[in-house]
Each structure stands twice: as structure tokens, then as C-alpha cells.
């Protein structure tokens, strides 16, 4: 198979998996709601006041608690697992074809060099954001 064909297939598969296995999850609930206004463009001018009266800069506020993150990751892993287990099922593939129209409007993916560098580090322990 030509490299261009492999890249096209991988790009399409990546976009459809991102859409149906990640985007349409509890992530949508976390994304919903009011978005604060920033005049600086970097949210350095936005503050959150919690129930105790503590003022926290927006960029330092945790926007997802541990339970929400665990639920989100569990849902994503289950969807990715289901995707892989059903990828050869004709009715599942028909369902994917319908979603492909929407995901094809997204930008094409590019190789994530930071990810590749992190994976290539010999003896490095896996890192998670916020851990």
C-alpha cells in the first residue's frame, strides 16, 4: 500500500474515532455551560470565587475533578474498546459511514512529535497530565 493511502486511512480512522469515542462523551458535559469573557485573550484577567470566598485565577482552577476525569476516561476506554471489537461488524461500519461525513470536515491530523518523543524515551515511566 502506498504511504499516501496509509496516511489517508489513518487520518480518517483517527477523526472518526475522536468524534464517536471521545467528542460525544461526558466531555460534551464538561464543555457545556457559560464561558467566561477574557479581555486579555489568555484568561489572566478572569477569576473564580469559590464558596469560601477564595479568589482563584482561572488558569489555576481545576475544571475537572478526579471523579469526573475517572468517569470520562472510563467512558473513552470503553468506547475505544467497543470500536475495536466491532470494527468488522457490517452494521457498525454502516453507522461509522454516517459519522464520517461530519468528521471529514475536521482538519487532517499531523504527527504529534511531543507524543513520539515521550514514547521514545528509554526507561521513562508513562506520564499523565496533572499527575
Amino acid at each position: 500500500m502506498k504511504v499516501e493511502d496509509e496516511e489517508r486511512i489513518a487520518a480518517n480512522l483517527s477523526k472518526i474515532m475522536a468524534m464517536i469515542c471521545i467528542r460525544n462523551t461526558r466531555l460534551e458535559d464538561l464543555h457545556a455551560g457559560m464561558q467566561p469573557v477574557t479581555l486579555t485573550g489568555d484568561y489572566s484577567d478572569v477569576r473564580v470565587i469559590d464558596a469560601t470566598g477564595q479568589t482563584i485565577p482561572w488558569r489555576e482552577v481545576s475544571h475537572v475533578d478526579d471523579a469526573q476525569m475517572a468517569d470520562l476516561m472510563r467512558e473513552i476506554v470503553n468506547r475505544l474498546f467497543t470500536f475495536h471489537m466491532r470494527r468488522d461488524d457490517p452494521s457498525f461500519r454502516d453507522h461509522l459511514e454516517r459519522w464520517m461525513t461530519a468528521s471529514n470536515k475536521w482538519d487532517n491530523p499531523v504527527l504529534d512529535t511531543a507524543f513520539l518523543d515521550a514514547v521514545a524515551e528509554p526507561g521513562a515511566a508513562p506520564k499523565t497530565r496533572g499527575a
Side-chain angles (χ1 to χ4, degrees):
M1 180 180 301
K2 293 180 181 177
V3 172
E4 297 84 19
D5 292 336
E6 286 184 41
E7 287 177 356
R8 180 182 45 77
I9 292 167
N12 288 338
L13 186 58
S14 297
K15 290 189 286 186
I16 192 69
M17 288 177 72
M19 176 173 280
I20 68 171
C21 298
I22 299 169
R23 174 149 186 187
N24 294 332
T25 62
R26 286 178 175 85
L27 186 59
E28 291 293 340
D29 297 336
L30 298 173
H31 181 253
M34 294 177 56
Q35 185 172 358
V37 174
T38 176
L39 300 177
T40 62
D42 65 358
Y43 294 90
S44 63
D45 58 337
V46 177
R47 307 278 187 264
V48 173
I49 301 173
D50 72 9
T52 67
Q54 179 183 12
T55 300
I56 309 166
W58 179 258
R59 292 168 37 172
E60 294 177 22
V61 171
S62 173
H63 301 278
V64 180
D65 66 30
D66 288 343
Q68 290 172 313
M69 181 60 89
D71 288 344
L72 176 61
M73 294 312 299
R74 194 175 301 110
E75 183 177 15
I76 290 170
V77 168
N78 289 344
R79 284 183 178 217
L80 289 167
F81 175 75
T82 302
F83 185 98
H84 287 295
M85 294 303 295
R86 295 295 183 255
R87 69 180 179 259
D88 293 327
D89 177 341
S91 63
F92 184 74
R93 291 180 83 143
D94 288 344
H95 177 76
L96 295 181
E97 290 293 327
R98 290 192 296 275
W99 282 99
M100 192 70 75
T101 303
S103 68
N104 278 336
K105 295 175 184 173
W106 290 6
D107 294 342
N108 279 326
V110 296
L111 287 177
D112 184 335
T113 56
F115 172 68
L116 291 174
D117 291 345
V119 172
E121 290 180 26
K127 297 176 187 174
T128 59
R129 290 185 178 177

